[in-house]
Amino acid sequence: MTDRAWFDAAKGDIPQWAASMPKDADGTTIDWDWVRSLDLAHGVGTIPESTPQSIHDALKADYATRERLESIIAQCNSAFMTDFDRFIGSYRLPRALAYANRRLNDNINTLLHLGEQQHLWAVSRERRGRATIAVLKPYSGSGPSNDDQGMLDLSGEAGGTSAGNTAAENSDVKFPTTVALDDVQDRTAAILDARAERRKAQRFQKRAGDAAMARANLSGATSPGGAALPGGAAASGNATGHHPKPDWRDAYLPGRDVDAVMGIDIETTGIDPARDYIIDVGFEFMNMASPRPAGEPETYAYEQGYYAAGDAYGQSRLAFGVPPENAALGNALIAKLTGIDVHGRSSEAGYRLFDEWPQAQAGLLARLTQQPYVAHNATFEHSWFMLNVAGYAESYRAGRITIIDTLPMSRQWDPGAVPTNEHPYGDNTLDAYAKRQGALDSAHNERHLGLEDSHIMLVAMKHHLAALKAQGKGPWGSTGRAGVGGKSCGRKR
């Protein structure tokens, strides 16, 4: 069990957040008194009676709560990182909200499953825009239904057996006339799409404003027709060949003096750090330039027997669990991808949950701050650490964490990552990058376990940097960076 005292401390931070963040990610004024009223430690979900209408009403209430919570969580990163006057001292409130939201999400999935068991609906998981959502459809075995209205007919005669089946099968149970499906549909995709459109409009408005300001400031230096000045966008020639455009991920590229790093990879039950759980963490160390430290064991037994430790040292593999409700539902996709079956990872089976294990979080944070850490698509790991590791957000904001990403190394510096119809920006998966850099045999694939994936990533990075140095490219090219490189930040004044 986790130390519940930190939830009270997190709520104690509400005045700081309320002063700096009056609105959520959807522009809605936050009711901080509502947030204060939530029992974050013991659950914010609804436990219904086992009747059709109760299950429906509980699901509707839980969806509404999740939408409110996630809109707040989504705004916290921006508010915290732009709090230059440091009104907000800690990130523990967003972590506490995410902790509660994960359990709420488990409750939602349990209700969806319960509704399927009772033939209230059929659930399909469908990709809609930016999210995969649960789509509820009328149960096909329950008789006539009106798909357009999203209603499921559960009418029946009174009687005395269980309510576990449909009225057509149990005519002695009196169900509500209908259970609405249109008001218990997952709105996540629509919310994310609308949020993205607002951000797009804001960026467009900002660019238009910047352009107008530039025209005003340079009006005397341009022709009446507004011809571009030399060196501007219009002056750039047509490039040929594979020349990736600068990208925001380039901030994560290593510099020419990078050496000791820690490679890390995590496996999770899904892609959302506010809904899902970390179940596997693997990390190891490697020096990109200096010799391997003396005294470190020279061999390590990876799961893949054909992996050789080589220059790697300090390997570690950590396994974590999930709550009983999550374990009971299982996760076939993650089991197929990683080989980890969460059915056997319940906290009741002795597995500790990462977000309930302060010592594990503290140990990981200590390692993340000792030297740059490397990940492939590092923003994924970063987003999970923000909402799972006590002290990580504070350390990152203070500039004590440096992040290097091998994905932009592949995208910008690997000529093999050529754009194709299937991969418009080139194939920059860890599997493809590791194979091109000789870290993974073409006959084998990325394992999707934390330690093994960290290993092939670091081996690929070291091979790649050595080749770039010999060619005078990458960090040693005209646009390369001195120093360690990577993404870090500190207090701005």
Side-chain angles (χ1 to χ4, degrees):
M1 295 295 290
T2 188
D3 179 6
R4 305 294 181 181
W6 77 277
F7 292 101
D8 294 332
K11 284 189 176 182
D13 296 337
I14 286 178
Q16 303 169 17
W17 285 92
S20 300
M21 197 176 87
K23 294 187 177 182
D24 63 22
D26 298 315
T28 302
T29 299
I30 299 172
D31 183 350
W32 288 105
D33 287 334
W34 174 77
V35 176
R36 191 177 285 107
S37 72
L38 297 173
D39 187 351
L40 302 177
H42 299 98
V44 296
T46 305
I47 307 300
E49 298 177 1
S50 189
T51 64
Q53 194 63 44
S54 296
I55 295 170
H56 164 277
D57 293 347
L59 181 59
K60 181 178 179 179
D62 281 1
Y63 270 149
T65 299
R66 189 176 72 177
E67 288 175 9
R68 293 180 73 178
L69 273 178
E70 291 185 348
S71 289
I72 295 171
I73 296 168
Q75 187 64 20
C76 286
N77 181 72
S78 176
F80 188 73
M81 296 307 299
T82 58
D83 177 29
F84 303 127
D85 293 320
R86 299 301 188 258
F87 290 127
I88 306 171
S90 171
Y91 207 69
R92 60 192 161 202
L93 180 61
R95 287 195 299 107
L97 297 180
Y99 176 96
N101 196 68
R102 291 182 199 106
R103 278 75 185 166
L104 173 63
N105 197 60
D106 290 344
N107 201 63
I108 287 172
N109 287 328
T110 299
L111 290 171
L112 291 172
H113 182 65
L114 183 59
E116 280 191 299
Q117 285 185 320
Q118 296 205 13
H119 297 169
L120 307 185
W121 47 64
V123 181
S124 63
R125 304 282 175 173
E126 300 178 11
R127 186 72 182 178
R128 300 280 180 88
R130 291 168 171 79
T132 299
I133 64 172
V135 179
L136 303 189
K137 299 176 181 178
Y139 175 65
S140 59
S142 61
S145 63
N146 186 336
D147 290 348
D148 294 333
Q149 296 297 318
M151 307 293 283
L152 175 61
D153 184 3
L154 292 175
S155 58
E157 300 296 327
T161 60
S162 75
N165 297 313
T166 62
E169 296 165 328
N170 284 312
S171 61
D172 51 355
V173 178
K174 188 169 184 65
F175 288 148
T177 303
T178 55
V179 170
L181 298 187
D182 53 353
D183 61 350
V184 286
Q185 297 291 355
D186 188 346
R187 299 192 326 119
T188 301
I191 291 170
L192 294 180
D193 287 346
R195 199 175 291 165
E197 287 301 314
R198 284 193 297 272
R199 289 195 301 267
K200 182 179 178 181
Q202 290 167 357
R203 288 194 299 270
F204 178 82
Q205 188 175 31
K206 183 179 185 303
R207 284 196 297 267
D210 291 345
M213 183 65 71
R215 285 194 298 271
N217 290 340
L218 299 174
S219 58
T222 57
S223 69
L229 293 174
S236 61
N238 293 325
T240 59
H242 176 47
H243 299 289
K245 295 180 180 179
D247 186 88
W248 60 268
R249 298 176 185 84
D250 294 351
Y252 295 87
L253 288 167
R256 65 179 67 101
D257 300 319
V258 66
D259 188 16
V261 297
M262 183 182 89
I264 190 167
D265 182 76
I266 63 175
E267 302 300 331
T268 61
T269 59
I271 63 172
D272 190 336
R275 293 187 183 183
D276 302 306
Y277 299 89
I278 295 175
I279 53 176
D280 183 76
V281 177
F283 58 83
E284 66 179 27
F285 301 83
M286 188 176 290
N287 296 351
M288 296 291 118
S290 63
R292 186 175 181 275
E296 293 286 346
E298 296 185 0
T299 59
Y300 183 88
Y302 297 93
E303 184 189 89
Q304 310 299 85
Y306 47 87
Y307 284 6
D311 295 330
Y313 58 96
Q315 295 91 340
S316 186
R317 185 196 308 277
L318 308 172
F320 301 100
V322 297
E325 295 79 8
N326 189 287
L329 293 173
N331 194 318
L333 176 62
I334 296 303
K336 181 178 180 180
L337 183 68
T338 68
I340 299 173
D341 185 355
V342 298
H343 280 303
R345 288 287 185 99
S346 170
S347 56
E348 293 180 338
Y351 280 86
R352 295 287 297 271
L353 276 66
F354 185 74
D355 65 358
E356 292 187 353
W357 198 344
Q359 294 83 359
Q361 297 168 34
L364 181 58
L365 179 63
R367 290 165 173 81
L368 293 171
T369 55
Q370 285 174 353
Q371 69 294 294
Y373 80 80
V374 182
H376 195 81
N377 191 20
T379 53
F380 181 81
E381 275 75 12
H382 173 71
S383 66
W384 285 80
F385 296 156
M386 288 286 287
L387 290 177
N388 279 274
V389 179
Y392 177 89
E394 295 85 343
S395 295
Y396 177 72
R397 187 175 70 171
R400 293 193 292 272
I401 290 175
T402 299
I403 311 170
I404 294 174
D405 194 341
T406 51
L407 189 149
M409 288 184 64
S410 172
R411 187 176 184 273
Q412 296 289 358
W413 296 339
D414 187 343
V418 294
T420 63
N421 289 335
E422 184 178 1
H423 301 284
Y425 300 99
D427 189 350
N428 299 303
T429 62
L430 176 58
D431 185 87
Y433 176 63
K435 287 176 178 175
R436 289 196 300 267
Q437 296 303 325
L440 184 62
D441 189 278
S442 60
H444 301 96
N445 295 319
E446 174 189 357
R447 176 59 184 84
H448 291 292
L449 279 179
L451 181 56
E452 280 68 26
D453 290 355
S454 296
H455 183 63
I456 61 171
M457 174 186 66
L458 288 185
V459 173
M461 178 181 176
K462 188 162 187 173
H463 289 179
H464 196 185
L465 287 175
L468 291 168
K469 185 176 182 179
Q471 299 164 7
K473 297 180 178 179
W476 295 272
S478 60
T479 59
R481 299 163 61 185
V484 171
K487 177 73 163 61
S488 62
C489 60
R491 180 165 185 168
K492 298 182 180 179
R493 297 185 182 275

